[in-house]
Amino acid sequence: MTAVCPGVNSLCGNQTTGCRVANPLSWSVFAGRVRVVVPVLTLALIGLVGGLVTGISPCILPVLPVIFFTGAQSTRAEGESGGGVAVAARPVSKARPYLVIAGLVVSFTLVTLFGSLLLSVLGLPQDVLRWAGLVVLVLIGVGLIVPRFEHLLEKPFSWIPQRNPDASKGGFALGLALGAVYVPCAGPVLAAITVAGSTGRIGIDTVVLTATFAVGAALPLLVFALAGRRVAERVRAFRKRQRGIRVTAGIVMIALAVGLVFNLPQLLQRAIPDYTGGLQEQVNESAPVREALDLGGLTNDQNKDLAKCTVGATELQSCGTAPDIRGIQQWLNTPEGAAVNLTDLRGKVVLLDFWAYSCINCQRSIPHVTAWDDAYRAAGLRVIGVHSPEYAFEKEPRNVIDATAGFGIRYPVALDNSLSTWTNYRNRYWPAHYLIDATGTVRHIKFGEGDYDVTERMIRDLLRANDPGVSLPAPTDTADTTPDTADITRETFLGSTKQVNFSGEGPYTAGQTSFAFPAQQPDNTFALDGAWTLDTQNATPTGTDARVRLNYRAKEVRVVLAGTGTVTLDTPSGPRAITVSGTPRSYEVITTPSVQPGTLTATVGSGVSVFSFTFG
């Protein structure tokens, strides 16, 4: 029986679901011309809705002050110098908010779709456009603070005939700069767009998807810009202090640029609960969205042949050249953090292991992978771990470093925080193994746990094929602890957007809520008692007697906890306590010789967050 953790934004559960790749666009020839049938409108709607959800999510918070004060600016403040002549204050610009947002939409669309390709052709670093946008933000900010500097910036364009010089026209340039540095929250829509742009598979479908996503994400920003303009028009203090407004706008622009350099907005986003998690889940889990986005970028020239492999086959197959490892934030266990390139490993057999450190399915699989690395490295096997996070806390490099050391992993690990490599392999599962021969061809794909003897036999076959004289050790004897998933409780999440098996009364939504244990609790469920604060990914007690009760069936129960404090457990085998300290990790709760039903009650101390229960 195979246990897997289904893919992006899915529940890490115990059922295997297929990965369907469908083409929702219908192309036909009529009257000598190619036309696109109605489903393009579906892509436009998906892009717009995905963008709107992103546009109200925490990831836009860092740019809101810039947008607001931009809308509140007049053309010039009273007494400022315009070409050496003092001018009176002009009314707040009517066009500026629209120009800023239009520039952002145009810039974001072009940079996302064509920026990577253009920079590659020119041989420039991939972050040149981002740094250019940051420099422009700083220059505009300084110009707003120092009018003479703004005049110097405008001077090279003084040859352009203007009957009525209007600084609001600079709003479009500001929008272009913001679009180059604006990094919306990653999701399947943006992932599809990014892959399509980076691989050059850009057609009407991806252009429509990108443009509508940009418009959707920009509409909430336009509301803030118009609100700023409205306040400036209606509030006398704003009208009288336009000089101060412009200085403030300049300061927040410079602050935004500096913050982006040091990734401070990411810290802000991590500190604020994702209040759009429920909306994102509904969009991401929609079957039409998944089918449409497979076309939008998940299928590309590098990975299109992976479909030739039957997942879990018992014999070696051939399914194309292995896709690149791309978009890696950081490498672990390599000399000085150097990147690993698959083309440099030709002549070696390679095993790619996609994993996430808090997923129990991966935890049971890792001992087999590390054993293969130890046994066959000298014979020519190279193992590469691709850590593709499911939780936000799994994106923290220090957490992955600790987990890698704890699991005894000595092979290279790539931090695939943007899911770029995950997407390039069209992956959907934790764990997932891709076996690559010495010529660079993918020969076997395995999703989930189990069948380790089959994978190891194929590793040995490929090593012998590469070097008929190789001396191989005896097969590894790591115990296969893959559970019979039909006989145990499925993984149970306590986050408000991913909760599974909740049996209490009332809605289970983000925020502070009081619960009470139900009189009758069904098997394979959990319930809460006391005061709790529910986040999108965890539950944290807000009172002194907060409890969680779990009815389960398993031989092993583990819980993912974070924070500082104590969890007191009343289990079938007796009471015990867990001392929690530090970053989120998995703690053992109970282990029995065989699968058994049971009930456990955990009293969670203040300062401890509960993410999930996993079962073996």
Side-chain angles (χ1 to χ4, degrees), residues 362-384:
C362 301
Q363 294 173 16
R364 289 192 291 255
S365 173
I366 286 172
H368 297 271
V369 180
T370 56
W372 296 335
D373 178 56
D374 292 338
Y376 301 115
R377 181 181 294 193
L381 176 67
R382 295 295 181 266
V383 178
I384 300 174

Side-chain angles (χ1 to χ4, degrees), residues 332-333 355 357 399-411 413:
L332 310 179
N333 295 342
W355 66 296
Y357 79 75
N399 295 349
V400 186
I401 291 171
D402 291 342
T404 298
F407 291 132
I409 295 174
R410 298 188 300 113
Y411 48 80
V413 173

Side-chain angles (χ1 to χ4, degrees), residues 186 255-256 268 295:
L256 174 62
L268 174 64
L295 172 72

Side-chain angles (χ1 to χ4, degrees), residues 372-526:
W372 296 335
D373 178 56
D374 292 338
Y376 301 115
R377 181 181 294 193
L381 176 67
R382 295 295 181 266
V383 178
I384 300 174
V386 182
H387 187 271
S388 302
E390 180 185 15
Y391 284 122
F393 62 75
E394 290 175 322
K395 294 182 179 182
E396 289 289 344
R398 63 178 181 275
N399 295 349
V400 186
I401 291 171
D402 291 342
T404 298
F407 291 132
I409 295 174
R410 298 188 300 113
Y411 48 80
V413 173
L415 304 192
D416 186 27
N417 282 352
S418 63
L419 297 181
S420 297
T421 299
W422 169 288
T423 304
N424 205 32
Y425 274 78
R426 293 161 61 187
N427 191 36
R428 286 291 187 276
Y429 299 94
W430 293 283
H433 297 147
Y434 294 77
L435 188 57
I436 305 166
D437 67 18
T439 68
T441 301
V442 177
R443 302 296 302 277
H444 180 65
I445 299 174
K446 176 68 174 73
F447 291 155
E449 303 176 60
D451 298 331
Y452 299 111
D453 56 338
V454 175
T455 302
E456 183 169 11
R457 171 172 54 81
M458 292 182 180
I459 291 173
R460 296 170 69 90
D461 289 346
L462 291 179
L463 291 172
R464 289 195 185 98
N466 187 45
D467 181 5
V470 69
S471 176
L472 298 179
T476 59
D477 58 356
T478 306
D480 187 350
T481 58
T482 304
D484 183 350
T485 58
D487 195 38
I488 66 172
T489 303
R490 66 182 296 191
E491 188 163 9
T492 298
F493 293 84
L494 273 68
S496 63
T497 61
K498 304 183 70 172
Q499 66 86 11
V500 176
N501 302 340
F502 178 65
S503 65
E505 297 181 356
Y508 197 92
T509 56
Q512 186 170 338
T513 311
S514 292
F515 296 90
F517 285 152
Q520 299 292 329
Q521 184 173 330
D523 295 338
N524 302 312
T525 66
F526 80 94

